[in-house]
Amino acid sequence: MSAEYATFGLAPAIRAGGVLANGDYQVHRDFVDFIVDGRPLLFRLSDLDAVSPLASDIPPAIFTTHVRRLLLEAQAPLEEGRYVIYGCPECEGLECGAVTAVIEKCADGSDDFVWRDFAWQTSERADLALNGYHGIGPFRFRGDEYRAALGQLLAEGDARNRRRVLLIGARVAILAKLAAALRTIGVGAEIAADAAGVPADELRTYGAVAFGPTVPEAARQSVRAAFDAADVPVAYVDGLAPIVPLLVAQIEDALDRSPQEQRRLTRLAAGPRSAELDVTSTCRVQLTAYRMDRLSRTHVHEVFDEVLEPGHHKVPLAPRTTKGTSYVVARTSTHVLVTPTSALPG
């Protein structure tokens, strides 16, 4: 099959971490995804939970090696000239399975690059007949566009992602539990009363600032002023409730730097009887409801867990899941959205 021209680009992406309803943890991973013809290549692989080799938490030398492999400046890591395109987000081991492809220069002698023979691979050799992705590729990328995108990663060095969160609030016990949960999923977290006197170089390591609900407005403005003075763009999170999994989900959403048009989950709204959400590609969606009763006790309800097709969806919510002050978290492998329950329009 001849390879047709496709556009090539890169964009920040995450594998969303979190504290799941059953108490398990899912590791957060920042990575750079491949954008083919304006759409993340990962989304063509149905609901695959995976990351590219261009992850922010690997040592710089290994990151550089991965980039140079994609540029064909380093030897292929697998037999038959195959390269890992996506791997396991927990361990990245081939035994867990990986999406691989042959990457080569175009046979006509041009400077173009070709990605072909995509396959799901769990051993040293790929079985294309059994595990090939026959509906994906081959793709032919113009050499100058391809080199420029990957070369920019080498020029940026270590300034790829900021995976630390500054937690500011009065309830130290809740903040300590939140910090521990974030660190467990791979997101650094520090607790502070304010950001006064913090060097600009340290402020640049933060991707988000989370405020507790009782933090005075003057204190919030002071923190924002410190980051503005250091010229550090950062996401600000106003904690909805002292529920650790809910706060982790809010922070995961804030740390997501992927472009809105390249997300799987683009909208979430919830009322007392239903939740509405929009998805852009086939994926597994989990909905979890959190509520606090009049005694400030937390109740967790897993209300939905199914694979959805692209489009707008309405999911019924049982009355017991949204009674009192309640919140809904929608999760895919790549994105998380949070909303309080309120009256839905119409």
Side-chain angles (χ1 to χ4, degrees):
M1 182 187 299
S2 62
E4 297 184 0
Y5 273 111
T7 61
F8 181 86
L10 301 168
I14 68 169
R15 189 273 189 134
V19 182
L20 305 182
N22 62 4
D24 290 344
Y25 290 87
Q26 183 167 288
V27 175
H28 172 105
R29 300 293 302 280
D30 290 287
F31 65 99
V32 177
D33 200 3
F34 308 110
I35 308 300
V36 177
D37 283 338
R39 184 169 180 245
L41 180 60
L42 183 60
F43 291 6
R44 298 174 186 252
L45 302 170
S46 188
D47 191 41
L48 183 67
D49 182 12
V51 300
S52 81
L54 307 178
S56 67
D57 54 352
I58 61 176
I62 296 177
F63 184 91
T64 298
T65 296
H66 286 317
V67 175
R68 295 201 179 282
R69 283 174 176 169
L70 295 173
L71 288 167
L72 301 182
E73 296 174 1
Q75 185 175 358
L78 301 172
E79 295 183 16
E80 301 175 330
R82 301 192 70 83
Y83 297 78
V84 174
I85 307 300
Y86 295 107
C88 173
E90 299 286 345
C91 70
E92 299 183 33
L94 186 61
E95 62 275 8
C96 290
V99 177
T100 68
V102 174
I103 300 179
E104 61 188 7
K105 294 298 290 294
C106 194
D108 62 10
S110 69
D111 189 41
D112 296 340
F113 290 74
V114 173
W115 288 19
R116 63 173 175 84
D117 295 341
F118 287 83
W120 178 253
Q121 190 167 344
T122 56
S123 59
E124 289 303 313
R125 282 184 169 272
D127 187 334
L128 292 178
L130 184 63
N131 296 316
Y133 286 102
H134 302 293
I136 299 178
F139 302 115
R140 177 172 178 167
F141 304 119
R142 299 187 186 280
D144 53 352
E145 180 181 66
Y146 185 87
R147 291 181 185 279
L150 290 168
Q152 184 62 34
L153 292 180
L154 297 177
E156 290 172 356
D158 270 341
R160 285 175 262 135
N161 281 287
R162 292 171 292 147
R163 302 170 58 244
R164 296 175 70 207
V165 180
L166 184 62
L167 308 177
I168 298 178
R171 302 183 65 173
V172 178
I174 289 293
L175 294 181
K177 291 179 181 178
L178 175 58
L182 289 168
R183 291 166 188 154
T184 299
I185 68 171
V187 177
E190 285 76 40
I191 301 170
D194 55 47
V198 180
D201 285 346
E202 184 173 345
L203 292 179
R204 291 190 184 96
T205 67
Y206 291 103
V209 176
F211 294 112
T214 62
V215 176
E217 183 57 31
R220 297 168 188 254
Q221 292 296 338
S222 176
V223 170
R224 292 188 177 97
F227 279 90
D228 289 344
D231 194 25
V232 179
V234 67
Y236 295 101
V237 177
D238 292 320
L240 289 173
I243 303 172
V244 169
L246 179 71
L247 295 171
V248 170
Q250 283 192 265
I251 290 169
E252 279 291 305
D253 182 23
L255 290 173
D256 192 347
R257 295 290 190 266
S258 60
Q260 183 71 21
E261 66 276 9
Q262 292 170 3
R263 298 186 184 189
R264 273 190 169 132
L265 186 61
T266 58
R267 176 180 176 268
L268 172 67
R273 297 182 180 178
S274 65
E276 297 183 7
L277 61 155
D278 296 338
V279 296
T280 61
S281 67
T282 302
C283 60
R284 177 188 178 192
V285 177
Q286 298 168 289
L287 291 184
T288 306
Y290 298 89
R291 68 178 180 88
M292 299 191 72
D293 62 23
R294 288 176 294 178
L295 298 178
S296 296
R297 294 174 299 192
T298 300
H299 300 265
V300 183
H301 303 275
E302 294 185 74
V303 297
F304 183 81
D305 187 349
E306 292 185 20
V307 174
L308 296 179
E309 297 296 321
H312 178 79
H313 300 272
K314 189 172 184 177
V315 179
L317 299 176
R320 65 186 177 88
T321 67
T322 57
K323 182 168 55 178
T325 304
S326 57
Y327 310 90
V328 174
V329 174
R331 174 183 298 278
T332 70
S333 62
T334 55
H335 302 99
V336 176
L337 288 179
V338 182
T339 185
T341 57
S342 58
L344 289 174

